[in-house]
Amino acid sequence: MVKKALMVDLITGLRRTFYYFFTKPITVQYPKEKLQPFPRFRGFIRLTQKEDASGVKCIACGMCARECPSQCIEVKGEGKGKERYPVVFNIDFSRCIYCGFCVEVCPVGGLEFTSFYEGAEYDLEWLHFDIAKLQEDYKKWERTFKK
Amino acid sequence: MDVLMSDILTALIRIIVVFALALLTVAYLTYLERKVIGHMQVRMGPMRVGPHGLLQPIADGLKLFFKEDIVPTEGYRLTFYFAPILCLVCALILFAVIPFDAKFMISRLNIGLLYILSIASVGVMGIILAGWSSGSKYSLLGGLRSAAQIFSYEIFLGFSLMGPLMIAGSLDLVKIVEAQSVPFIVYQPVAFVIYLIAALGEINRVPFDLPEAESELVAGFHTEYSGMKFAYFFLAEYANMIIVSAIATIVFLAGWKGPILPGWMWFLIKMFIFIYFFIWVRATFPRYRYDQFMRIGWKIMLPLVLANIFVTGVVILFIGGY
Amino acid sequence: MAEEPIKDREKADSEVPIDFSKFVEVRKIKEKYPEAIVDLKYFRDELTIVLKKEYLLNVCFLLRDDPETKYNFLTEVIGVHYPNREKPFEVVYHLYSVEYARRVRLKVMLGEDEEVESVYPVWPSANWYERECFDMFGIRFTNHPDLRRILLPEDWEGYPLRKDYPLEGPPGYREKWLKEHLSLYNKL
Amino acid sequence: MAKKIESKVIDVLKRGTPFGRLEEGDVFNENLKIEDVWINMGPQHPSTHGVLRLVLALQGERIVDMEVVIGYLHRGTEKLAEFRTYHQFIPLTDRLDYLASPAMNFGYVLAVEKLAGIEVPIRAEYIRVLMAELARISSHLLWLATHALDIGAMTVFLYCFREREMILDLFEMATGGRLITTYYRIGGVANDLPDYFLDRCEEFCEIFPKRVEDYDALLYSNRIWLSRTVNIAKISAEKGLALGLSGPSIRGSGVNWDLRRSNPYSVYDKLDFEVAVFDGCDVYARYLVRRKEMLESCKIVKQCIEWLKKNPGGEVQAKVPKVFKPPVGEVYQAVEAPKGELGFYIVSDGSQRPYRLKIRAPSFANLMSLPEMCKGHLVADVVAAIGSIDVVLGEVDR
């Protein structure tokens, strides 16, 4: 009764918020400072290069296109056996759900994740990646924010 | 003739200074609130516009100013326009009698406190009208809630000021301050606590923000308002918060009195302690339900405040004043 | 697509003889309604009892109220569509007994125009499950208090989870629906 | 219709309102016309947690009647499943209850494994349980956050998000996704945990109970919180079970039923934890259940970490053929998702795709008891009741 009249329960709460008033905020000011995603982060996908930089590793087997749950990959290849290489390789990132099955299923490690995630775009066409765009350096797409 | 002119001129200057300052304070109060609550919630609050978001209130004002003015088809045009203006005017003319210093005030009214209480209750009309004329059920519920809430809390607000008033023996705000050699909070702690609770109810703030309870009634009485009309409500709400804090300062904390610093500064410091408290409460507590809130008012606070008046009266009768 | 494999399943199940009288549910039903059970299956530790639809409600009451079974929780009511069968619809009831932590599956076969008794009087939770079943398969439940569509709009045509319903809806249906429902929007 | 409403009104008046109670002998004035106010709460409303729509019939602020309208987020997941392979359906399960996607994956992969009779490596089992329990904590944190915000305590919201962010970081570390993890695979998990994961996870388990004290300081014994939750939206155990209520919501009515304990799956029978049961039947009891469950989950996570640290290395995925064809048959597998009993019923015809897949979504069933809880209460209590049964509309509408 005395406790209730003295509003102990309310004062506990007030004390807690007052304590946090003087602690450091945990905010990350997003466009000004960006957190580095963890290595396994599933961002945009790109084609990996061969070690001797002579082209992409992809052998256009079409496993990724078959495995993709949202059917956003289109592959066409030329050549036979180990010489096979992709001519058309499109990923429609407006449909992609970033599940990672294509990267997982690839027999030669021809696809990999980047840490790029700022996929909000005004232009839908920008999200339709073709074979050339899939090999570009993703760093250049990152939005920068002037301080 | 010249004397009259100069009187009018000084009055005008005072009005302009007070109102400009009041509006600026009100605008920056929103900033202060967001910052304080932000830091209590381990975040930063506004940071983008200007250094540490200092220009945020201006950006907000501009945004509201240029926003499209929407009137619902179901609404009643006249009252829909009139309600926010009534609210804001009632809030702003209260500044007329607040003594910020022993000398600095727009007008010294010998029934200052009565004036404040009566004008404040007219301001409620704006909220009720807004709720009714919006033509939305959520607004209507918000309006009805605030009608019940503010009219009943007016009573406790008035009664809780009765104790200090009896000791001071005047309704004149300046005289009340002058009567306090010791702040009245010492003699009247119960009245002080009740005043704070009633004030929270009066200005619709958490835990008593039922007319605009955003999780239940969307935004209560101002659900349908946008643009400048919404801004009026917003300003009125914060202006009321300043007024309520100012009255608490005058009646319970001896107004501008204090050592070393000039009077107006003491006044502002004390006032901002109250404002900080109101913000602090908002950051901490959940919201009461409408019927529980009324129950607290009528079943706990009314007997308490009446007992307080009675005890004060008896003490004054036997001791003959402090 | 469906016909042959399902025959396979029935064959596969019958290869392993199981003594079904060890299950208390089967015993109880056989005791009280000897001709209610059409078929019994046991697959992956799950007991399935296929019932005649006339006996469904009685069996449900029995399983709920009997102190040895106490199936007081209806987990779900499911419709399955087998277009090539004689009785194309299957209504599956999953029951759970909180006290004994046991599950049992009841099944009723339905023809195209047949109705089944609603189990709403036994478990009120059947209300929404059966509504969903009606919504998706068009299976009607007699004595259901409020048989309306639940997930789809009231004026939806067709029953989407039937096998003859194409994945993206019948051709032209989407356009027609949008035209009708966005007409007000288009006027603006 | 009008007669029906009127009789309902008289019912309510007999039960009593703040303005008095209708006695036996009172004569109802025939000329006095009483009309209910009909209010659409949702689909766009700040506290219906998505696109839930409630049609309320009000007398003043008291609820006379209520109808729940759902389906605004219906995506036809069950139809889609019939056109996906078993493997391809995993990402879609993430999107059911997007607040606890590992728990959703868990239910699905267990059902498929039961159907195909796959033995999962023990290490994968522990990782799965660890992830599912982290998901439970994060889901309950978000529930507490929004529930408190609905009742007006907005600071709890941000404190809860602070801890939830830590869990999402853990998810990102192990799986690469923050919200939509897609980590479980048929026969195990996608890949083993990274090296530093367990240490970070342990750190979180140390911090978390202390952070729960923060929420307690603001809510646990706060009189406003108590007056808003105690004796609100009551539902008895029998009624709850009859209406399909499961999970933490029914444990708040004193039913000791947790699938992790009563029908243990995975490695839950080897773990030591307490089932949180409170018998208040009201919003506060459900709050207490979830609060305790968070702490219990934290304990389970600790045990999993201990085991995983003791037994490093080893397979995390069983051998599953690339073209996965389960045998013909039908299975039902239920798990204790954060919201209640999540079940997957799969009918297989022996092909690569499920013939029929039905999801028993806990929120869908829990929502059925909302009208029962709310009748006779005020508008403000509806918000508390919705919060207390913790619905996620992605799961309700599927």
Side-chain angles (χ1 to χ4, degrees):
Chain A
M1 192 66 205
V2 178
K3 261 190 174 175
K4 206 174 173 195
L6 288 176
M7 306 188 179
V8 175
D9 51 328
L10 301 183
I11 289 165
T12 338
L14 285 174
R15 225 173 45 204
R16 190 61 54 127
T17 40
F18 197 64
Y19 163 73
Y20 276 113
F21 184 60
F22 295 105
T23 52
K24 205 171 171 301
I26 52 162
T27 315
V28 178
Q29 295 280 315
Y30 162 59
K32 283 186 196 169
E33 36 180 317
K34 285 177 185 170
L35 292 175
Q36 184 56 38
F38 290 98
R40 281 190 189 176
F41 181 73
R42 302 203 302 261
F44 273 51
I45 296 160
R46 72 167 166 193
L47 289 166
T48 42
Q49 302 289 326
K50 280 182 191 154
E51 278 78 18
D52 54 357
S54 59
V56 291
K57 275 186 189 169
C58 175
I59 53 166
C61 62
M63 290 278 269
C64 44
R66 236 171 296 139
E67 196 66 14
C68 180
S70 51
Q71 284 115 41
C72 66
I73 305 180
E74 190 192 346
V75 193
K76 270 185 200 140
E78 269 176 20
K80 285 224 169 87
K82 285 206 167 169
E83 301 295 300
R84 203 172 151 83
Y85 61 92
V87 189
V88 178
F89 199 104
N90 293 334
I91 300 185
D92 182 356
F93 280 109
S94 63
R95 283 179 70 109
C96 178
I97 56 171
Y98 306 97
C99 61
F101 284 176
C102 49
V103 179
E104 206 175 291
V105 83
C106 187
V108 291
L111 288 167
E112 69 171 5
F113 285 117
T114 65
S115 58
F116 178 72
Y117 52 85
E118 286 154 318
E121 261 300 321
Y122 288 111
D123 184 13
L124 208 60
E125 277 303 308
W126 189 87
L127 289 166
H128 298 192
F129 278 40
D130 59 6
I131 190 160
K133 207 166 172 186
L134 281 168
Q135 296 175 59
E136 278 175 15
D137 184 12
Y138 65 92
K139 287 251 158 50
K140 76 174 189 196
W141 303 326
E142 258 172 39
R143 315 281 193 291
T144 45
F145 184 86
K146 283 182 210 106
K147 280 198 180 180
Chain B
M1 194 63 196
D2 281 352
V3 181
L4 191 68
M5 277 303 282
S6 68
D7 267 7
I8 290 171
L9 213 66
T10 41
L12 264 180
I13 289 167
R14 279 177 173 181
I15 288 170
I16 288 164
V17 168
V18 168
F19 274 79
L21 279 176
L23 280 174
L24 198 70
T25 323
V26 166
Y28 270 87
L29 208 55
T30 62
Y31 173 76
L32 180 78
E33 173 158 35
R34 290 165 74 176
K35 270 288 185 204
V36 169
I37 290 185
H39 278 273
M40 279 178 176
Q41 296 171 342
V42 288
R43 58 192 175 90
M44 284 168 167
M47 284 295 280
R48 287 292 166 71
V49 193
H52 281 263
L54 266 173
L55 301 177
Q56 188 67 43
I58 294 160
D60 283 349
L62 278 177
K63 185 202 80 174
L64 287 172
F65 191 77
F66 287 114
K67 226 174 170 185
E68 188 189 349
D69 205 24
I70 300 165
V71 183
T73 38
E74 295 283 314
Y76 296 84
R77 257 197 134 69
L78 186 70
T79 36
F80 191 76
Y81 276 102
F82 181 59
I85 296 168
L86 182 68
C87 252
L88 184 64
V89 168
C90 286
L92 284 182
I93 56 176
L94 290 177
F95 281 99
V97 291
I98 303 285
F100 295 94
D101 200 348
K103 294 271 154 48
F104 190 76
M105 67 204 84
I106 294 173
S107 83
R108 181 172 169 177
L109 211 61
N110 56 0
I111 48 159
L113 207 55
L114 199 59
Y115 168 84
I116 285 175
L117 287 176
S118 51
I119 295 288
S121 52
V122 175
V124 189
M125 287 300 187
I127 292 178
I128 299 168
L129 277 182
W132 175 72
S133 65
S134 291
S136 149
K137 287 167 188 168
Y138 284 114
S139 305
L140 185 67
L141 280 179
L144 287 175
R145 276 183 179 190
S146 82
Q149 169 181 341
I150 299 183
F151 281 131
S152 49
Y153 271 65
E154 204 93 291
I155 296 170
F156 319 128
L157 196 77
F159 274 149
S160 64
L161 293 175
M162 211 66 97
L165 240 155
M166 283 155 78
I167 302 169
S170 169
L171 280 165
D172 188 346
L173 292 171
V174 179
K175 272 192 186 155
I176 291 175
V177 175
E178 278 164 359
Q180 300 179 50
S181 49
V182 178
F184 281 158
I185 185 174
V186 180
Y187 300 137
Q188 296 280 343
V190 178
F192 176 70
V193 172
I194 290 175
Y195 174 82
L196 278 186
I197 295 170
L200 281 171
E202 177 78 16
I203 56 175
N204 299 334
R205 295 209 35 109
V206 173
F208 307 128
D209 61 340
L210 308 165
E212 47 190 297
E214 72 268 5
S215 58
E216 298 150 23
L217 299 183
V218 188
F221 62 88
H222 55 63
T223 307
E224 304 292 339
Y225 280 88
S226 62
M228 259 340 256
K229 293 207 288 294
F230 171 72
Y232 289 159
F233 277 124
F234 210 63
L235 290 176
E237 200 186 313
Y238 283 88
N240 274 329
M241 195 162 121
I242 295 180
I243 293 289
V244 161
S245 312
I247 296 170
T249 314
I250 291 164
V251 176
F252 292 102
L253 286 187
W256 59 83
K257 284 188 179 171
I260 308 164
L261 291 171
W264 58 270
M265 207 173 252
W266 270 113
F267 187 90
L268 285 184
I269 289 170
K270 287 170 183 172
M271 196 173 86
F272 271 97
I273 289 173
F274 282 106
I275 289 173
Y276 182 85
F277 175 76
F278 288 144
I279 295 171
W280 185 12
V281 164
R282 180 171 177 198
T284 310
F285 294 139
R287 179 184 308 114
Y288 265 116
R289 209 174 59 201
Y290 164 70
D291 59 327
Q292 292 164 346
F293 172 68
M294 301 304 269
R295 200 176 304 142
I296 293 166
W298 292 100
K299 288 194 177 161
I300 301 171
M301 282 174 40
L302 189 67
L304 265 179
V305 82
L306 287 177
N308 184 53
I309 293 173
F310 180 72
V311 170
T312 315
V314 168
V315 170
I316 289 175
L317 189 68
F318 284 103
I319 305 176
Y322 291 95
Chain C
M1 176 180 169
E3 188 62 22
E4 281 78 18
I6 274 139
K7 270 186 184 161
D8 283 354
R9 173 174 64 185
E10 277 154 12
K11 226 182 280 165
D13 275 351
S14 62
E15 277 167 18
V16 193
I18 297 165
D19 179 21
F20 282 104
S21 61
K22 73 179 178 189
F23 297 108
V24 62
E25 299 86 359
V26 179
R27 273 206 313 274
K28 289 280 169 189
I29 297 171
K30 278 200 170 149
E31 216 169 86
K32 197 137 186 223
Y33 306 104
E35 63 272 27
I37 297 175
V38 179
D39 195 6
L40 288 164
K41 279 173 210 152
Y42 193 69
F43 179 71
R44 305 273 185 232
D45 305 329
E46 289 175 8
L47 175 66
T48 309
I49 306 174
V50 185
L51 293 169
K52 277 187 191 156
K53 76 178 176 95
E54 298 80 30
Y55 288 94
L56 175 70
L57 204 61
N58 288 332
V59 169
C60 286
F61 270 121
L62 174 76
L63 289 179
R64 187 192 69 175
D65 295 333
D66 196 287
E68 280 176 60
T69 50
K70 274 198 181 171
Y71 282 103
N72 51 356
F73 189 78
L74 175 65
T75 312
E76 55 184 345
V77 178
I78 305 155
V80 188
H81 187 207
Y82 298 96
N84 299 337
R85 280 196 196 171
E86 189 188 340
K87 289 191 164 183
F89 292 108
E90 216 172 58
V91 184
V92 184
Y93 299 82
H94 280 129
L95 315 185
Y96 184 74
S97 156
V98 173
E99 200 158 312
Y100 299 113
R102 282 167 69 90
R103 286 182 197 283
V104 72
R105 179 183 301 139
L106 304 182
K107 255 188 198 178
V108 178
M109 305 286 187
L110 290 182
E112 186 67 58
D113 297 320
E114 279 182 329
E115 292 191 4
V116 68
E117 195 78 16
S118 165
V119 294
Y120 178 77
V122 194
W123 300 281
S125 57
N127 184 350
W128 280 22
Y129 301 145
E130 287 177 353
R131 272 177 75 184
E132 195 194 334
C133 215
F134 165 71
D135 194 359
M136 295 300 171
F137 290 94
I139 299 168
R140 297 197 159 269
F141 295 86
T142 32
N143 299 334
H144 188 279
D146 183 23
L147 200 62
R148 283 180 293 140
R149 287 195 180 272
I150 184 166
L151 290 175
L152 297 176
E154 295 267 308
D155 55 348
W156 193 270
E157 283 165 29
Y159 301 103
L161 276 182
R162 287 189 180 188
K163 288 285 169 187
D164 47 13
Y165 194 93
L167 180 59
E168 292 180 349
Y173 184 60
R174 186 188 136 87
E175 287 71 25
K176 197 182 120 213
W177 198 88
L178 283 178
K179 211 177 185 179
E180 276 169 21
H181 289 79
L182 297 182
S183 57
L184 186 72
Y185 179 78
N186 288 339
K187 263 181 219 159
L188 292 173
Chain D
M1 190 65 194
K3 264 273 170 310
K4 196 178 147 203
I5 293 167
E6 208 161 282
S7 70
K8 268 180 197 157
V9 171
I10 293 169
D11 272 4
V12 170
L13 284 174
K14 273 181 186 161
R15 249 181 280 146
T17 65
F19 314 107
R21 184 194 292 263
L22 195 70
E23 300 297 338
E24 266 312 293
D26 283 359
V27 185
F28 221 66
N29 190 347
E30 286 296 316
N31 301 325
L32 196 73
K33 216 174 151 195
I34 294 182
E35 264 183 59
D36 287 10
V37 181
W38 291 86
I39 275 199
N40 265 314
M41 204 168 177
Q44 285 125 13
H45 187 278
S47 59
T48 50
H49 295 209
V51 285
L52 176 64
R53 175 174 160 220
L54 306 171
V55 184
L56 307 175
L58 300 179
Q59 276 293 318
E61 283 211 20
R62 203 158 284 267
I63 289 145
V64 198
D65 201 0
M66 173 188 210
E67 200 198 324
V68 183
V69 183
I70 56 173
Y72 291 91
L73 201 61
H74 181 59
R75 294 156 294 182
T77 311
E78 287 165 18
K79 184 83 179 171
L80 286 172
E82 293 169 15
F83 292 83
R84 298 267 184 288
T85 62
Y86 284 95
H87 190 58
Q88 279 179 341
F89 188 63
I90 295 173
L92 292 187
T93 60
D94 280 316
R95 284 148 179 87
L96 294 172
D97 178 0
Y98 36 78
L99 302 177
S101 53
M104 297 286 123
N105 288 170
F106 203 2
Y108 174 68
V109 292
L110 275 180
V112 177
E113 280 154 13
K114 191 174 174 187
L115 179 66
I118 297 169
E119 278 284 317
V120 181
I122 186 82
R123 186 173 170 82
E125 294 274 27
Y126 271 97
I127 294 173
R128 281 179 178 189
V129 170
L130 171 78
M131 282 307 197
E133 292 306 315
L134 280 177
R136 190 184 310 278
I137 298 176
S138 100
S139 163
H140 282 354
L141 275 175
L142 194 109
W143 158 79
L144 182 61
T146 50
H147 185 37
L149 186 71
D150 288 346
I151 296 184
M154 63 168 159
T155 303
V156 182
F157 181 79
L158 285 132
Y159 289 171
C160 287
F161 262 67
R162 180 182 56 184
E163 273 73 72
R164 183 165 173 267
E165 210 59 20
M166 293 166 79
I167 296 180
L168 294 188
D169 274 349
L170 288 174
F171 281 166
E172 190 188 326
M173 237 178 264
T175 72
R178 290 178 73 82
L179 201 62
I180 308 296
T181 51
T182 324
Y183 185 50
Y184 292 42
R185 297 286 184 274
I186 296 162
V189 291
N191 30 28
D192 207 343
L193 299 170
D195 308 331
Y196 44 91
F197 177 85
L198 290 175
D199 295 331
R200 291 287 292 268
C201 202
E202 213 163 25
E203 216 173 275
F204 170 77
C205 290
E206 290 301 310
I207 294 170
F208 185 66
K210 279 179 218 147
R211 294 291 169 83
V212 173
E213 280 167 26
D214 279 357
Y215 323 142
D216 287 355
L218 293 170
L219 301 176
Y220 190 73
S221 61
N222 187 308
R223 69 181 63 185
I224 305 175
W225 178 258
L226 287 174
S227 65
R228 284 302 302 277
T229 54
V230 174
N231 281 335
I232 303 296
K234 284 199 129 184
I235 191 155
S236 68
E238 292 79 46
K239 224 165 200 163
L241 282 175
L243 282 170
L245 203 62
S246 60
S249 308
I250 196 74
R251 287 199 282 281
S253 298
V255 181
N256 190 345
W257 169 37
D258 190 323
L259 288 170
R260 292 176 291 173
R261 193 37 73 68
S262 63
N263 305 54
Y265 50 92
S266 200
V267 289
Y268 276 113
D269 45 352
K270 292 178 197 161
L271 297 167
D272 170 45
F273 65 98
E274 234 179 282
V275 178
V277 182
F278 290 86
D279 52 4
C281 303
D282 52 11
V283 176
Y284 188 64
R286 297 193 270 274
Y287 157 73
L288 289 177
V289 168
R290 294 209 173 85
R291 177 182 161 273
K292 194 174 169 193
E293 248 177 41
M294 284 197 275
L295 295 171
E296 292 298 325
S297 292
C298 195
K299 263 191 224 164
I300 298 177
V301 170
K302 266 187 204 162
Q303 290 169 36
C304 289
I305 295 171
E306 211 175 290
W307 192 93
L308 287 168
K309 278 200 166 169
K310 252 189 230 157
N311 305 285
E315 280 290 302
V316 290
Q317 193 153 19
K319 288 261 177 303
V320 178
K322 266 250 154 77
V323 180
F324 178 68
K325 280 187 181 173
V328 180
E330 53 191 332
V331 288
Y332 177 79
Q333 174 66 43
V335 295
E336 183 77 18
K339 270 87 188 170
E341 178 184 330
L342 169 80
F344 282 89
Y345 171 65
I346 303 176
V347 181
S348 150
D349 58 354
S351 69
Q352 278 193 52
R353 287 145 209 236
Y355 184 74
R356 168 93 170 95
L357 188 142
K358 170 77 169 69
I359 303 151
R360 196 262 177 205
S363 301
F364 178 78
N366 289 355
L367 208 50
M368 238 183 292
S369 44
L370 188 64
E372 183 63 39
M373 285 177 182
C374 293
K375 257 170 216 171
H377 281 299
L378 299 175
V379 176
D381 297 329
V382 177
V383 171
I386 298 172
S388 77
I389 59 171
D390 190 14
V391 290
V392 169
L393 267 292
E395 196 181 48
V396 174
D397 295 342
R398 278 159 288 157

